[in-house]
Amino acid sequence: MDAERSPTLSNMDLGEEGESPWGDVPSRSHSSQNLPKEADKENQDDKSDKKNDSLAAPSPTTKSLPHRGPRTPRRLAAQPTRLEALDDSLGPLGPLGVDDSAGALQDQPPPTPQKETSAARNVRPSTTASTAPSASSSKATLTSVDLDDDDDEPSSRPRVAPPIIPQASPQSPRQTQRSVSIEQAAKPTFDITVGDPHKVGDMTSSHIVYQVRTKTSSKAYRQPEFAVSRRYRDFLWLYNQLHANNPGVVVPPPPEKQAVGRFDTNFVESRRSALERMLNKSAAHPILQHDGDLKLFLESESFNVDVKHKERKEPGLGESKGVFSSFGLSVSSSGKYIEQDDWFHDRRVYMDALENQLKALLKAIDTVVKQRKELADAAGDFSSSLHSLATVELSDSLSRPLENLSDLQLRIRELYDRQAQQDVLTLGITIDEYIRLIGSVKQAFSQRQKAFHTWHAAESELQKRKATQDKLLRQGKSQQDRLNQLSADVGDAERRVHQARLLFEDLGRLMKSELERFEREKVEDFKNGVETFLESAVEAQKELIELWETYLMQFDADEDEPSYYNPPNLAPVTEPTPQPAAETEAQNAAVATAEQEE
């Protein structure tokens, strides 16, 4: 029985002495009869390899690989792996026990990471036969990866990691910029001026173009200072966009349109001042200053193209844009609205009364301005009459004071015209602005009213869907798909009701803060307007008194000078000279004799 098992054991030993399936050479299952032939063939190959290696000269740049000897019958053990030691005194943690280089390493930037060489890799050789499978698999893994890639071509294509970019030094331009506090970054400042109004276009398309210059500390803009050109309809577009984007916010409106006299100098100046106040108030508002359309208006150099692109991208621009459309709520204003909040009711009544009072005050200001202009025209007519009287050929003592009085009336006319314009630009423009602001407040009230109707419409829709769901449940029919759909619809309706109610409440809180802001700015603006109005009136009266005093001093100086009567330059009249009596009698006798002869 032992003899019968010996061939099998010898075959098994020979099979196990062959190469492992995890080795460099794929495993081969041959019979024991072919093993001597294969061994002889492998020995011949090894001899030829030795001969070729002895003939080849060693290359200075390449590393000679370890040479394998003739193969011997393999044993049940792991194949030994040759490792080369690397003198790596500077490990990844640096030199051990050296304290001098610690300070230098802190000052220098970290070194560029290099690829680890094959000799430095930690390959753990197996020493016992119990670890033979793991050693064979490790060898297979190492041989599958070309560890000598860096050693084969070290000069042609070195594989190194990309360099680490060091951090920016404190002297970089970004660090040298003046830092701003959190409060300044959250509340940027704007200084906007509207100037240089000039007329462009032909007779059919003529309009006024304004230069809008902006200085801001906001980081949302590309530059701190920039200027663009805008016309009146661009300001009107900005107002509509701000109103649609921010429901409940009191948006400063632009001045009203005027078809007649829109190129008049005084009208252009008053419109320019109103547009400038509109932009500064919008940019100072804590909500409107972050609006994208305001940034587009102030900064875009190709405004018309950008607006068309924006309208093409967002075709649904209009009343439904903004908070309502973001929640998927339809804006509805059907039905009569009855205010439930007493605070809003009192404010609405107050706004109506304030609007009527401001309109009456504006009408009175227009009357005062009209009278000042009429007085200026009367002073001009008076000056023309005095000048005509002074040109008459009379005494210098009278013509010179008349001429001075004519010049004085011309200056008085200019003073009245300037004072009338100052009344419009100080108090009149403030009154007109707040009349238009009350219109914006009323639009905010209407937006809150629309939110109220939207809320109640969503509640009605929810009640309808709940009634349909209850009816289907009472019928007892097994329509699970329809019940699931109705349940989803009821959940969606409840979500819409919740959002509409929150929107209505948010608009109420926002409008309360906006109306408080409106009251504060109204007191401040009217106080400044009345103060400027009084200062301009006092200055005008001082200038008028100074003109009259100067004229009176000149008049007194003319009276102190000796006045002489200068007759007009007429042709001299020759008087007959008296003749002696004898000559007269002789002439008379001669005349009588001549008559007798005739």
Side-chain angles (χ1 to χ4, degrees), residues 279-518:
L279 291 181
N280 281 286
K281 281 199 169 187
S282 300
H285 197 281
I287 298 177
L288 299 180
Q289 65 181 201
H290 300 292
D291 194 278
D293 290 327
L294 177 63
K295 181 178 181 297
L296 177 66
F297 177 87
L298 294 177
E299 195 177 31
S300 176
E301 296 181 356
S302 56
F303 181 71
N304 294 329
V305 177
D306 293 340
V307 169
K308 290 181 179 179
H309 178 70
K310 181 180 179 65
E311 292 177 352
R312 191 182 303 110
K313 186 177 180 181
E314 301 176 2
L317 297 177
E319 291 294 333
S320 62
K321 182 184 176 184
V323 179
F324 297 100
S325 61
S326 63
F327 290 134
L329 302 176
S330 60
V331 181
S332 175
S333 60
S334 60
K336 186 178 181 181
Y337 175 73
I338 300 176
E339 184 61 61
Q340 304 294 333
D341 195 332
D342 294 337
W343 190 88
F344 282 101
H345 176 73
D346 296 340
R347 287 293 171 177
R348 198 176 186 93
V349 173
Y350 166 74
M351 287 296 167
D352 293 337
L354 181 61
E355 184 179 12
N356 294 331
Q357 293 175 0
L358 291 179
K359 286 182 178 180
L361 182 58
L362 183 61
K363 186 176 180 181
I365 290 291
D366 292 339
T367 303
V368 172
V369 171
K370 183 179 179 181
Q371 289 179 354
R372 292 190 190 279
K373 291 182 178 181
E374 291 177 354
L375 188 58
D377 295 338
D381 296 339
F382 186 34
S383 174
S384 300
S385 299
L386 291 174
H387 179 70
S388 300
L389 183 60
T391 54
V392 178
E393 297 178 357
L394 298 176
S395 173
D396 290 341
S397 60
L398 183 59
S399 62
R400 184 161 49 187
L402 290 176
E403 188 66 30
N404 292 337
L405 183 60
S406 175
D407 295 339
L408 175 63
Q409 291 299 320
L410 288 177
R411 299 182 65 180
I412 290 175
R413 184 188 67 178
E414 295 175 357
L415 177 63
Y416 286 153
D417 286 334
R418 187 168 64 252
Q419 189 176 3
Q421 185 66 17
Q422 287 294 329
D423 294 343
V424 174
L425 295 177
T426 55
L427 192 57
I429 195 173
T430 305
I431 298 171
D432 183 67
E433 177 187 2
Y434 272 86
I435 291 175
R436 291 182 279 108
L437 274 174
I438 291 175
S440 294
V441 172
K442 289 184 176 181
Q443 288 185 358
F445 274 109
S446 65
Q447 287 178 334
R448 181 173 174 270
Q449 179 179 345
K450 291 178 181 179
F452 177 81
H453 287 298
T454 303
W455 175 26
H456 282 268
E459 285 186 344
S460 300
E461 184 66 21
L462 175 60
Q463 295 300 328
K464 291 180 181 179
R465 293 185 179 183
K466 283 186 175 181
T468 304
Q469 185 183 19
D470 295 340
K471 182 179 178 181
L472 187 61
L473 289 174
R474 287 194 302 268
Q475 290 177 358
K477 297 180 180 180
S478 59
Q479 299 179 3
Q480 191 63 32
D481 295 340
R482 188 175 178 185
L483 286 175
N484 294 337
Q485 182 65 29
L486 285 176
S487 299
D489 294 342
V490 169
D492 183 66
E494 290 177 349
R495 180 184 61 83
R496 290 177 181 273
V497 169
H498 180 67
Q499 290 179 350
R501 181 177 60 84
L502 291 180
L503 177 59
F504 177 74
E505 294 175 355
D506 291 342
L507 284 179
R509 287 191 293 267
L510 178 59
M511 284 192 61
K512 285 184 178 181
S513 63
E514 286 295 306
L515 291 177
E516 292 176 358
R517 180 185 179 89
F518 172 83

Side-chain angles (χ1 to χ4, degrees), residues 58-213:
S59 177
T61 60
T62 59
K63 180 181 175 182
S64 62
L65 297 176
H67 184 71
R68 294 190 300 177
R71 289 180 179 268
T72 58
R74 295 182 179 273
R75 300 176 183 178
L76 294 176
Q79 295 181 2
T81 303
R82 182 178 178 180
L83 301 177
E84 294 182 2
L86 178 63
D87 187 9
D88 192 4
S89 61
L90 295 177
L93 299 180
L96 299 178
V98 181
D99 297 331
D100 296 335
S101 61
L105 291 176
Q106 293 179 359
D107 299 336
Q108 296 179 359
T112 303
Q114 301 292 336
K115 185 175 180 179
E116 189 177 3
T117 58
S118 61
R121 299 182 186 271
N122 295 327
V123 181
R124 184 171 55 187
S126 58
T127 56
T128 60
S130 61
T131 59
S134 61
S136 301
S137 61
S138 301
K139 181 181 178 181
T141 306
L142 291 175
T143 54
S144 62
V145 180
D146 191 2
L147 299 178
D148 297 334
D149 190 12
D150 294 340
D151 297 335
D152 294 340
E153 296 177 2
S155 59
S156 61
R157 294 179 59 186
R159 292 190 177 183
V160 294
I164 299 177
I165 301 176
Q167 297 180 356
S169 60
Q171 291 78 16
S172 61
R174 188 173 185 83
Q175 296 292 334
T176 56
Q177 294 180 359
R178 186 183 64 178
S179 61
V180 296
S181 62
I182 299 177
E183 291 79 6
Q184 293 177 352
K187 296 180 180 180
T189 59
F190 289 85
D191 183 14
I192 305 175
T193 57
V194 180
D196 191 21
H198 55 279
K199 182 179 179 181
V200 297
D202 52 9
M203 295 296 295
T204 58
S205 62
S206 58
H207 57 275
I208 301 295
V209 175
Y210 304 89
Q211 194 79 8
V212 181
R213 298 184 179 274

